[in-house]
Amino acid sequence: MKKLILGNWKMQKLFSDINPYFKVFKAKTYNFSLKLGLAVPTLYAKSCLEAIETTPFMIGAQNVSEYDNGAYTGEISAKMLASIPVSFCLVGHSERRQLFHETSAVVLKKAKKLQEVGILPIFCIGETLNEKNNFKTVLKQQLEGVFELNPKNLVIAYEPVWAIGTGKTASLEDILEVHSYIKSFFKEGSYDFSQVQVLYGGSVSASNAASILKLANVDGLLIGGASLEALEFEKLICTLS
Ligand code: PGA
C-alpha cells in the first residue's frame, strides 16, 4: 500500500495563496510510491482542486459536522464535502478535541458520516505530555467505537499533543512503540483492521521525515507547519524519494 503524506494548513493562508502554492508542484515528478494530500480550509477546497491540475495532490478538509443537514448555522456536512468533492477529512485532531471540546463519541460520529459518503476519515489520536506514561489507556479511549467503522476506508493519525507545533518530535523509539501498540490494538478480537494505515504527526520536518517514515508500522505522515510553504513542503517530499 502506498504511504500517505498529508499536509494540514489549519486556519492559515489566504485565498490568493492557492495558485502560487500549487505552481511550485506543477511539472515536477515525484516518487509515486507515495500518495500526497493537503487538508485545506473547506472554503478553499474547490479552488484547490482546480489549482492542482497536474500536481499529484488529493484535497481534503479539516473538519465535518456530526449532523446530516438542517438548521446548524456554520456547519458543513459530509454530503457537502462529497459534493465538492474532497477525498479525505481529518476528524478528532487534538486542536478540535481540546479547543472545541470534541468528545470521542462525536469524533466517531463524524468519521461515520464521512464513510457514508465515501470520504476517507483521517482519525486523529494522541496523548498529552501528562498522559505520556499512560498512552495506551488514552489512545484506547480515543479509539472507542472505532471497530464500528469500515476498515477499508479508514486511516489513523497518531499525533502526540506535546509534539504538535512545538518543534519537539517524538523520538524514533517512542514512535515505534506507540505505532506498534496501535497496530496490535487493531489486530485484537475478531475484527480485520490489520490493513488500516497509521500515520505519524507532530513537528515533522524535512530533516526528520525520512527517518520517521522508514520506521516499521509508520504508514505515512501528517504535517502541519512544514506544509505551509510550498518550497519547504516540496523539499520535505523530495527527502522521501
Ligand atoms: P505540526 O502539526 O507538523 O505543525 O506539528 C501537525 C498537525 O497538527 O497535524
Side-chain angles (χ1 to χ4, degrees):
M1 214 183 293
K2 288 187 178 186
K3 295 205 170 186
L4 203 51
I5 310 299
L6 302 181
N8 176 12
W9 281 1
K10 308 192 181 185
M11 197 177 74
Q12 283 157 137
K13 304 196 85 63
L14 297 176
F15 193 73
S16 54
D17 294 324
I18 295 172
N19 281 319
Y21 186 95
F22 287 102
K23 216 168 162 186
V24 170
F25 295 91
K26 278 180 196 160
K28 297 222 169 110
T29 40
Y30 292 100
N31 173 355
F32 287 106
S33 61
L34 303 173
K35 228 169 157 183
L36 306 179
L38 262 180
V40 299
T42 306
L43 179 66
Y44 303 164
K46 186 79 185 160
S47 303
C48 288
L49 276 173
E50 284 159 12
I52 54 178
E53 290 179 27
T54 55
T55 60
F57 284 100
M58 300 185 294
I59 294 298
Q62 302 170 11
N63 186 30
V64 65
S65 176
E66 68 194 277
Y67 303 109
D68 281 328
N69 72 307
Y72 298 104
T73 302
E75 288 289 274
I76 301 211
S77 72
K79 263 191 194 153
M80 289 173 179
L81 292 180
S83 74
I84 297 294
V86 304
S87 312
F88 69 92
C89 179
L90 310 181
V91 290
H93 190 284
S94 67
E95 286 150 18
R96 297 221 53 95
R97 289 182 191 261
Q98 294 198 321
L99 303 172
F100 300 95
H101 314 295
E102 281 185 14
T103 62
S104 296
V106 165
V107 174
L108 181 67
K109 230 169 146 186
K110 291 183 172 197
K112 283 182 181 170
K113 294 291 172 203
L114 291 169
Q115 288 198 333
E116 277 167 25
V117 297
I119 295 175
L120 172 72
I122 311 295
F123 195 114
C124 304
I125 54 174
E127 82 288 359
T128 63
L129 196 53
N130 281 342
E131 296 165 337
K132 195 166 181 288
N133 291 334
N134 202 17
F135 78 86
K136 291 183 185 170
T137 312
V138 174
L139 300 187
K140 224 173 183 164
Q141 278 160 0
Q142 293 178 347
L143 286 168
E144 204 182 326
V146 76
F147 293 114
E148 293 165 29
L149 295 170
N150 176 0
K152 294 199 175 79
N153 194 33
L154 177 67
V155 166
I156 303 296
Y158 167 62
E159 299 196 294
V161 177
W162 46 273
I164 294 177
T166 57
K168 292 183 194 140
T169 323
S171 69
L172 296 180
E173 292 73 23
D174 282 352
I175 299 173
L176 200 58
E177 184 186 3
V178 180
H179 277 243
S180 306
Y181 168 71
I182 297 168
K183 291 277 182 172
S184 65
F185 172 83
F186 278 121
K187 279 184 195 140
E188 269 174 26
S190 52
Y191 308 100
D192 185 15
F193 273 58
S194 50
Q195 83 269 40
V196 172
Q197 291 186 292
V198 183
L199 318 184
Y200 170 79
S203 295
V204 175
S205 67
S207 57
N208 60 26
S211 45
I212 298 172
L213 196 64
K214 270 191 207 126
L215 293 173
N217 296 329
V218 174
D219 304 310
L221 303 167
L222 180 55
I223 300 153
S227 71
L228 285 181
E229 295 308 321
L231 285 172
E232 191 182 346
F233 197 31
E234 216 270 320
K235 189 172 143 202
L236 186 157
I237 292 164
C238 289
T239 66
L240 306 175
S241 308

